[in-house]
Amino acid sequence: MTHEREREREREQPWKSNSMATPPRKQQVSLRGASAKEITRDALLEKVCHERELRNYTRRAAAAALFIQKVWRRYHTTKKVARQLQEEWEMSMTQYDDLMTSGWVSSNVLRPFLFFVTCSSTLHQKLQITTIKCMLTCFKTILQSIAVKNLIEFIATGKSGLYSSVRRYIMNSNGPLRRKSDVLTDDHFLITASAITLALRPFHVADLNINDVGLSDVKDAAEQYCTFLLTVPWLSQCVPAVLLPAFKHASVLSPCLLTLLISKERIFVEMSKLDQSKFCSSCPNLIPSSGWALANIINLATEYDNGSGDSGRFVQGLDCRVYVHSVITISENLLCWLENCGCPRNEENDEYIGNDESSIETADPDILEKTASLGSLKVSYIEAFKPVYQQWHLMKLLAMAKKDFSMPEADTSAANPSFEYCGKLELIDIAFFYSCMLRIFSSFNPMGGSMPTLNMLSFTPGFLVELWRVLEGSFLCQEDHVGNDDKLCKNGISGSHNDIVMEKKQGRVAKDAGNKWTSVLQKITGKSCNDVDYVQSTNSPLGPSLDDGDACDSWDVEPLRRGSQGISKEISCLLHLFCATYAHLLLVLDDIEFYEKQVPFMLEQQRRIASVLNTLVYNGFSHNNGHHNKPLMDAAVRCLHLLYERDCRHRFSPPSLWIAPARKGRPPIAAAARAHEAVTANLRSADALTSPSMGSVITTTPHVFPFEERVQMFREFIKLDKVSRRMAGEVAGPGPGSIEIVVRRDHIVEDGFKQLNFLGSRLKSWINVSFVSECGLPEAGLDYGGLSKEFLTDISRTAFDPGYGLFSQTSTSERCLIPNTAARLVENGMQMIEFLGRVVGKALYEGILLDYSFSLVFVQKLLGRYSFLDELSTLDPELYRNLMYVKHYEGDVRELSLDFTVTEELLGQRVVTELKSGGKNMAVTNENKLQYVHAIADYKLNRQILPLANAFYRGLIDLISPSWLSLFNASEFNQLLSGGKHDFDVDDLRSNTRYTGGYSEGSRTIKLFWEVITGFEPKERCMLLKFVTSCSRAPLLGFKHLQPTFTIHKVACDVPLWAMIGGQDVDRLPSASTCYNTLKLPTYKRPSTLRNKLLYAISSNAGFELS
């Protein structure tokens, strides 16, 4: 033992001395009964665990084998018993002839059947033929037994839970949660067919009157059906096509629709509960159950071809009045939901998704994907209403209404509430139907959801004319006012009247029948091209009495003097549908059709339509009820604006029509201006509901105020703005703190751009201008307003000159200015356009007239308005004539070899632009020629000029508020910029003229001067005004608003006194200082000399150098 201890110490000592060099060896142990071979502790533990797992696996395998054996034995036994039970069941069903009691059916039919049919679906991969036969036998036996009545009564009640179960099954098996492996195809179809059979059985039994099933049972079943099945999203697509006719059958659909009308309150309450439950649709916050019920009813009640919009019909036996009233009832519920809850947006998206590209780039991809899916859901939902915007749907309803009108009215009893909905179909019902549809489509897709329906309504022959006939009789007939609205609506379709109209329409065929839209418009009123001369001779656009002072009262429609609150619900609905449809038609109606062919209305009718809408809109906002019926007011405002803009471009109504509603109750100018500013401020703060009513009138219908009053409002706006700036400490006149610039006369545009463009809204401040002559020498003088005016006049004259390259002139006789499209390619071209917008804004702000007129198309963009086809005539008359030739071309348009491209020349290069994707390879045909015409017009009027107009607009609104500009139309904007008519009132100028240098009003030369210019021609007077003020037109509000004041300065000349009667008169020419609006007039003695010298001076287009 001693030697062993010493050896152990010797082994430990080297380890202690060099412990970092060699790791210690693990402790060795020996297995009892084994050899002397050693094993580590970890290896031993691993081996023990392995042996333990092996024993556990052996035990589990033995248990699994035992379980499989038991399952196999049970399967074999169950299969044997099920087969034996099925054989016995089949034998008993064929041999049993006694009375089938409920107990016998339950124990001998249902229980054995459920056992072996369940086993059959488990034992076989596919349904066996024998199993299907057994199912048919079972169902037939149950339906023929005495238990059918109790069964149907139980199914019809809510206690059975059948309809809710069928709903959940259809939604889960056809919704996004369904997996292909969940249910086999045959089993899925069988279960669906069985469930639908049970759900529809109460309706079939009631229809056949089997076992005296009562109406109350059908009513309960119909309520359950409406609540749970009609609210399944896309029900027509979820149900197998072979089973869809069962849903469409009149015996099922008609009782459900009638029950919906009778018990609508209770059904809608159940639908709202369904929206809050976990069994609702996938997006209850976007589309409620009533919305799906609406879409499903329309699809179940109609049969149509998806590939064609001209063929379709209602299901056989359907009561169309009940159908229309049901759709209206559900639509009103859905619209109420949309009004209270709104068509929701994803709130998470608001902070990410904006109008700029940077916000889109930083958006969360998951949020963008969710937003896209919600948007696609809305689009798919609107597409579910496809029958509504097919023309056959409207035509059949109109035909049925006409047929019902010609039939005598049956005597119905008020005891049965269903009789209320079983009468005649009337025009007001159809109008209600489509009015609700338009509002729903606009709610889900404001940009274009209602477009297909409006297309169909606009071009349905006679529909617009019939709507207006009813409205005209309601509003404009003295014997029929608001109280008779119901009577007018019920007589909305007159059989004899329509027969005459239809005969005339069929007898008058337009020559240009090859043009689809034109021929449709011809059918609307039944006028042919031969009628034009008669129309023009007998229906002058402006009769002799239209402009009389008393005519205003005739344009103020009395039933509408309370706005939308003064008319009934029926007329309100008719008017909404008419305004929405006619506004859509006006977008594509060209001037030839409107003024010459006069379709769809005569010009006299157009004036009456304008007066009705004008009175409605003005009084609606003036009585502060513009938000009372928002859909009606929005449609009326849009239609009114389109008519007014067309009248501004080509007059068809007297000015008294537009100002008639406000003729007696207009507020003072200052009060109206302050109200307008208040409503603008409230609109910016998204609090439009608290805005003053008169401010809303000025914002929506500024044309009810005469142009002169609106100009005064504009000057009042600027006055208020200057006061607020002065209170804020800004410099409002010459002196320290004003903006000082030095401008070289030969580089006036470049110097002005460099020194003023960065100022933005600070350009409103006073500007002190110092000129440097072309020789490089500073010009003497102090700027007290005159040099600033000269600077604005000269810089605009240079920059707007077509030779400068930023602007060009239109090819019309007016030679109006429009931005040059090539300016986008020039260095700083867009910045220069924006700077010129500030120059024009500065001129408007300071009341300085510029003798230029912009193209109406360009001004439309500045006013934020879209331009349409007919406005192309003011921009490019030749192109407009060519497009009209294509539009009315009677042959094959392919002969013209056109495609959807436009070619233009920019900086010497030909550039081809596609009007639509793939336009180079898309030929223009008779089918798409209207698209081509409007695409060309849209490119020229909107797309091409929009970037330049936006740049000019950004500069303009730095000084002029957009709300101020909204008071005027395009032609009025030009008048605001360049002055009034091409002549002026001499007496007004004389009353507002200042005399300096020794002249007075009684001076002989001054008397001769006024005598001479009174005898001038209007053109000569305008030349004189341009010579003195640099603008040929007078200020809109008279010469008292001319800044600086018109001045005549005396230029003394030594001439003998006898020069008045003969001899040599003053030889010096008059001169002018345009910056100060000053005429330097020598002391002429004879009127002939003054006239000749003055004409020579103003005709020479010069000023200072003449003196």
Side-chain angles (χ1 to χ4, degrees):
M1 293 295 291
T2 303
H3 296 291
E4 291 178 359
R5 291 176 180 174
E6 290 178 355
R7 285 195 296 269
E8 290 179 0
R9 283 196 295 268
E10 290 176 357
R11 287 194 296 268
E12 292 175 357
Q13 286 176 356
W15 166 252
K16 294 179 180 179
S17 62
N18 193 15
S19 60
M20 297 302 293
T22 305
R25 293 194 302 171
K26 294 182 179 180
Q27 186 177 3
Q28 302 292 325
V29 296
S30 298
L31 293 177
R32 181 180 298 178
S35 62
K37 185 177 180 181
E38 297 179 346
I39 186 171
T40 63
R41 182 182 297 274
D42 294 340
L44 176 62
L45 293 176
E46 183 179 356
K47 186 174 182 179
V48 172
C49 291
H50 178 71
E51 291 179 352
R52 185 179 300 165
E53 290 177 359
L54 184 62
R55 288 193 297 270
N56 290 338
Y57 176 77
T58 303
R59 285 195 298 270
R60 288 196 302 269
L66 182 61
F67 177 76
I68 292 174
Q69 186 178 11
K70 291 181 179 179
V71 170
W72 175 252
R73 289 177 181 174
R74 180 194 292 178
Y75 169 77
H76 182 72
T77 304
T78 303
K79 181 178 180 181
K80 182 178 179 180
V81 173
R83 186 176 300 169
Q84 181 179 356
L85 183 61
Q86 182 175 355
E87 294 175 356
E88 294 176 358
W89 187 85
E90 292 175 356
M91 186 178 299
S92 64
M93 295 302 297
T94 56
Q95 295 179 357
Y96 188 80
D97 296 330
D98 295 338
L99 180 64
M100 298 181 183
T101 62
S102 301
W104 184 88
V105 170
S106 176
S107 59
N108 292 43
V109 178
L110 282 179
R111 292 182 179 180
F113 170 77
L114 293 176
F115 175 77
F116 70 75
V117 81
T118 305
C119 295
S120 176
S121 63
T122 305
L123 301 177
H124 304 284
Q125 292 183 353
K126 294 184 178 181
L127 287 175
Q128 303 295 315
I129 297 178
T130 55
T131 304
I132 297 177
K133 292 181 178 179
C134 290
M135 290 181 180
L136 296 176
T137 303
C138 179
F139 291 153
K140 183 178 179 180
T141 302
I142 293 175
L143 295 177
Q144 291 178 351
S145 66
I146 195 172
V148 65
K149 180 178 179 180
N150 296 332
L151 178 63
I152 293 176
E153 290 178 352
F154 181 69
I155 289 175
T157 61
K159 297 179 181 180
S160 66
L162 172 67
Y163 292 95
S164 60
S165 300
V166 172
R167 170 190 172 83
R168 290 198 297 271
Y169 174 75
I170 293 178
M171 293 182 63
N172 292 334
S173 59
N174 294 277
L177 300 178
R178 179 188 175 189
R179 299 186 300 271
K180 293 183 179 179
S181 59
D182 285 347
V183 182
L184 297 176
T185 303
D186 291 343
D187 285 346
H188 170 62
F189 175 77
L190 181 62
I191 296 173
T192 304
S194 302
I196 291 175
T197 301
L198 290 175
L200 302 183
R201 189 61 186 174
F203 303 100
H204 298 157
V205 172
D207 188 50
L208 298 175
N209 196 21
I210 297 177
N211 293 332
D212 296 327
V213 176
L215 292 177
S216 60
D217 301 330
V218 179
K219 179 176 177 293
D220 294 337
E223 291 182 3
Q224 297 291 313
Y225 179 89
C226 293
T227 303
F228 293 104
L229 293 188
L230 284 183
T231 56
V232 174
W234 289 291
L235 177 63
S236 300
Q237 302 176 17
C238 295
V239 175
V242 70
L243 301 177
L244 198 56
F247 284 90
K248 290 175 172 287
H249 199 273
S251 62
V252 176
L253 194 57
S254 295
C256 290
L257 298 182
L258 193 57
T259 302
L260 177 63
L261 294 173
I262 298 174
S263 307
K264 54 186 176 183
E265 292 83 3
R266 184 163 58 251
I267 292 176
F268 288 146
V269 169
E270 295 298 324
M271 286 184 180
S272 63
K273 293 180 180 178
L274 191 62
D275 290 333
Q276 301 172 3
S277 67
K278 62 180 180 179
F279 302 114
C280 61
S281 61
S282 57
C283 296
N285 294 329
L286 186 64
I287 303 175
S289 296
S290 59
W292 292 116
L294 178 63
N296 291 330
I297 287 175
I298 291 175
N299 279 274
L300 293 177
T302 57
E303 295 177 349
Y304 61 96
D305 183 9
N306 285 324
S308 174
D310 298 331
S311 61
R313 65 183 182 88
F314 295 105
V315 295
Q316 187 176 2
L318 179 69
D319 188 338
C320 286
R321 178 176 171 84
V322 174
Y323 160 72
V324 169
H325 274 278
S326 301
V327 171
I328 293 173
T329 301
I330 302 181
S331 298
E332 290 179 338
N333 180 267
L334 177 59
L335 289 169
C336 182
W337 182 89
L338 291 171
E339 183 178 354
N340 295 331
C341 302
C343 194
R345 299 175 299 174
N346 188 2
E347 295 180 356
E348 299 176 354
N349 300 345
D350 294 343
E351 58 179 318
Y352 293 103
I353 300 176
N355 295 327
D356 53 57
E357 297 179 357
S358 60
S359 63
I360 296 177
E361 292 176 357
T362 59
D364 189 343
D366 295 336
I367 294 179
L368 290 177
E369 182 179 358
K370 186 175 182 180
T371 303
S373 63
L374 293 178
S376 62
L377 176 62
K378 293 180 182 179
V379 174
S380 301
Y381 177 73
I382 293 178
E383 290 179 354
F385 292 83
K386 189 174 182 179
V388 172
Y389 50 81
Q390 292 180 341
Q391 196 173 62
W392 66 263
H393 188 277
L394 175 61
M395 295 299 292
K396 289 186 180 297
L397 291 179
L398 291 175
M400 196 166 300
K402 180 180 178 181
K403 179 180 179 181
D404 288 348
F405 181 82
S406 61
M407 296 175 59
E409 185 173 359
D411 184 17
T412 58
S413 173
N416 192 340
S418 64
F419 288 155
E420 178 185 353
Y421 309 101
C422 297
K424 300 175 181 179
L425 184 65
E426 301 167 359
L427 179 63
I428 185 60
D429 302 326
I430 302 173
F432 251 116
F433 181 99
Y434 282 97
S435 176
C436 292
M437 291 296 103
L438 291 178
R439 293 168 60 188
I440 291 173
F441 296 158
S442 299
S443 298
F444 282 102
N445 185 4
M447 296 301 296
S450 58
M451 194 69 66
T453 308
L454 290 174
N455 283 335
M456 181 272 298
L457 293 173
S458 300
F459 298 104
T460 298
F463 183 63
L464 262 177
V465 176
E466 193 63 40
L467 288 179
W468 173 245
R469 189 180 67 82
V470 177
L471 292 171
E472 186 177 29
S474 173
F475 294 138
L476 303 179
C477 292
Q478 296 181 357
E479 66 275 10
D480 294 318
H481 289 299
V482 181
N484 296 328
D485 288 345
D486 295 338
K487 178 180 178 181
L488 287 165
C489 293
K490 291 182 179 180
N491 297 334
I493 296 184
S494 173
S496 59
H497 173 77
N498 282 338
D499 291 341
I500 297 174
V501 172
M502 291 303 295
E503 289 178 3
K504 293 182 179 180
K505 291 176 181 177
Q506 294 174 359
R508 299 175 180 177
V509 180
K511 291 184 178 180
D512 53 347
N515 188 321
K516 180 180 179 181
W517 285 17
T518 303
S519 58
V520 170
L521 291 169
Q522 291 287 342
K523 292 179 184 178
I524 293 178
T525 53
K527 292 190 291 293
S528 65
C529 296
N530 296 329
D531 299 329
V532 175
D533 294 338
Y534 173 78
V535 168
Q536 292 178 345
S537 61
T538 61
N539 190 26
S540 176
L542 294 176
S545 61
L546 287 177
D547 288 320
D548 295 340
D550 297 335
C552 288
D553 293 334
S554 65
W555 298 124
D556 188 11
V557 184
E558 183 178 356
L560 297 174
R561 289 178 182 173
R562 292 177 52 205
S564 59
Q565 291 183 342
I567 56 179
S568 66
K569 184 178 180 180
E570 290 78 10
I571 295 300
S572 175
C573 172
L574 278 170
L575 191 56
H576 167 253
L577 184 63
F578 174 82
C579 292
T581 305
Y582 192 40
H584 183 75
L585 181 62
L586 284 171
L587 299 180
V588 296
L589 205 65
D590 60 49
D591 285 348
I592 296 176
E593 294 159 338
F594 188 92
Y595 292 99
E596 296 182 12
K597 298 180 180 179
Q598 298 190 26
V599 290
F601 300 108
M602 304 289 290
L603 291 181
E604 180 61 33
Q605 291 177 305
Q606 301 283 11
R607 289 190 282 270
R608 290 197 291 268
I609 293 172
S611 66
V612 167
L613 299 183
N614 198 41
T615 307
L616 170 67
V617 173
Y618 171 79
N619 288 285
F621 284 97
S622 64
H623 290 88
N624 205 20
N625 57 17
H627 301 279
H628 171 257
N629 191 338
K630 191 174 184 299
L632 169 61
M633 296 304 295
D634 288 345
V637 168
R638 177 171 174 78
C639 189
L640 177 64
H641 284 173
L642 290 173
L643 286 171
Y644 177 69
E645 290 176 5
R646 190 177 289 264
D647 183 71
C648 292
R649 188 175 69 251
H650 187 176
R651 183 177 171 188
F652 68 86
S653 61
S656 59
L657 185 150
W658 304 109
I659 65 174
R663 185 173 63 92
K664 299 179 180 179
R666 287 196 297 272
I669 301 301
R674 286 191 290 269
H676 182 73
E677 287 293 272
V679 69
T680 303
N682 286 333
L683 289 174
R684 291 195 191 105
S685 62
D687 191 19
L689 293 178
T690 61
S691 59
S693 60
M694 188 51 61
S696 298
V697 169
I698 303 174
T699 305
T700 309
T701 56
H703 58 259
V704 299
F705 294 84
F707 176 60
E708 293 75 12
E709 293 187 10
R710 282 179 279 140
V711 174
Q712 295 180 43
M713 290 183 199
F714 180 80
R715 303 314 308 175
E716 187 70 22
F717 294 152
I718 295 177
K719 179 181 177 182
L720 294 174
D721 185 72
K722 288 182 177 181
V723 170
S724 63
R725 288 175 47 244
R726 191 180 301 111
M727 295 176 63
E730 293 188 31
V731 177
S738 59
I739 301 172
E740 296 185 1
I741 62 173
V742 179
V743 179
R744 296 170 295 174
R745 286 194 179 273
D746 53 349
H747 295 83
I748 188 170
V749 178
E750 293 79 3
D751 290 350
F753 173 76
K754 183 178 180 180
Q755 299 180 61
L756 297 178
N757 186 52
F758 67 93
L759 293 176
S761 61
R762 288 180 54 206
L763 198 58
K764 293 180 179 180
S765 301
W766 187 271
I767 300 176
N768 286 326
V769 181
S770 299
F771 283 104
V772 176
S773 67
E774 296 179 358
C775 300
L777 300 176
E779 297 182 2
L782 297 176
D783 187 4
Y784 290 98
L787 294 179
S788 300
K789 174 181 179 295
E790 183 181 0
F791 166 73
L792 291 176
T793 303
D794 291 348
I795 193 175
S796 61
R797 180 187 300 114
T798 304
F800 289 134
D801 190 294
Y804 196 80
L806 293 178
F807 276 75
S808 59
Q809 291 180 331
T810 60
S811 57
T812 59
S813 59
E814 292 81 4
R815 312 299 292 175
C816 296
L817 294 174
I818 192 168
N820 191 343
T821 55
R824 294 178 295 175
L825 308 178
V826 179
E827 183 180 2
N828 291 332
M830 299 298 286
Q831 291 83 354
M832 292 291 290
I833 295 289
E834 184 175 341
F835 171 65
L836 292 179
R838 295 189 178 95
V839 170
V840 171
K842 178 67 173 176
L844 290 173
Y845 193 81
E846 300 296 344
I848 298 173
L849 298 179
L850 301 178
D851 198 16
Y852 306 101
S853 292
F854 292 109
S855 167
L856 299 182
V857 173
F858 175 62
V859 179
Q860 285 280 74
K861 299 295 151 302
L862 301 181
L863 300 178
R865 296 164 189 167
Y866 191 85
S867 298
F868 299 98
L869 175 62
D870 290 304
E871 297 175 56
L872 186 61
S873 60
T874 65
L875 182 66
D876 192 338
E878 182 179 359
L879 177 59
Y880 176 76
R881 288 192 297 269
N882 293 338
L883 290 180
M884 289 298 99
Y885 175 79
V886 173
K887 180 178 179 180
H888 299 283
Y889 189 71
E890 297 183 357
D892 188 358
V893 181
R894 292 180 183 271
E895 301 172 356
L896 304 179
S897 300
L898 299 173
D899 56 24
F900 279 79
T901 61
V902 59
T903 304
E904 52 189 340
E905 186 172 345
L906 294 176
L907 300 180
Q909 296 182 354
R910 293 174 61 86
V911 179
V912 178
T913 304
E914 290 186 338
L915 298 175
K916 59 193 307 185
S917 180
K920 293 181 180 179
N921 304 319
M922 186 177 300
V924 179
T925 63
N926 287 341
E927 289 73 22
N928 62 16
K929 65 180 181 181
L930 286 176
Q931 298 180 21
Y932 171 77
V933 169
H934 287 279
I936 287 283
D938 177 64
Y939 178 79
K940 288 292 186 180
L941 297 173
N942 301 292
R943 292 168 52 189
Q944 186 183 50
I945 197 177
L946 188 60
L948 299 164
N950 286 340
F952 193 94
Y953 176 77
R954 288 192 298 270
L956 179 64
I957 63 174
D958 278 343
L959 292 93
I960 303 298
S961 172
S963 64
W964 303 351
L965 295 176
S966 65
L967 297 178
F968 308 101
N969 58 45
S971 60
E972 291 170 344
F973 177 88
N974 279 330
Q975 294 183 54
L976 189 68
L977 177 65
S978 58
K981 301 177 182 180
H982 290 283
D983 196 5
F984 59 85
D985 185 358
V986 176
D987 293 334
D988 181 34
L989 177 61
R990 186 172 185 173
S991 302
N992 295 279
T993 298
R994 188 167 62 97
Y995 305 100
T996 61
Y999 276 145
S1000 65
E1001 190 174 358
S1003 300
R1004 173 175 174 77
T1005 304
I1006 296 301
K1007 293 180 179 180
L1008 293 178
F1009 172 79
W1010 294 118
E1011 179 183 342
V1012 166
I1013 68 169
T1014 302
F1016 273 179
E1017 296 291 334
K1019 181 179 180 181
E1020 294 171 338
R1021 281 194 291 268
C1022 291
M1023 291 172 61
L1024 171 65
L1025 192 60
K1026 184 177 180 64
F1027 177 75
V1028 179
T1029 67
S1030 74
C1031 184
S1032 62
R1033 300 184 184 184
L1036 291 174
L1037 301 180
F1039 284 98
K1040 67 179 179 180
H1041 293 277
L1042 181 65
Q1043 295 296 331
T1045 304
F1046 190 90
T1047 302
I1048 301 179
H1049 183 75
K1050 181 178 181 179
V1051 179
C1053 300
D1054 295 332
V1055 292
L1057 186 61
W1058 56 268
M1060 293 185 299
I1061 58 176
Q1064 183 67 31
D1065 200 351
V1066 177
D1067 191 47
R1068 185 172 180 173
L1069 291 171
S1071 62
S1073 178
T1074 57
C1075 56
Y1076 295 103
N1077 295 336
T1078 299
L1079 173 65
K1080 298 178 180 180
L1081 187 66
T1083 54
Y1084 299 109
K1085 303 302 181 182
R1086 293 196 299 267
S1088 59
T1089 305
L1090 191 151
R1091 175 183 175 85
N1092 294 332
K1093 296 292 184 180
L1094 198 57
L1095 286 177
Y1096 182 83
I1098 65 178
S1099 302
S1100 299
N1101 194 25
F1104 283 111
E1105 63 272 16
L1106 291 177
S1107 61

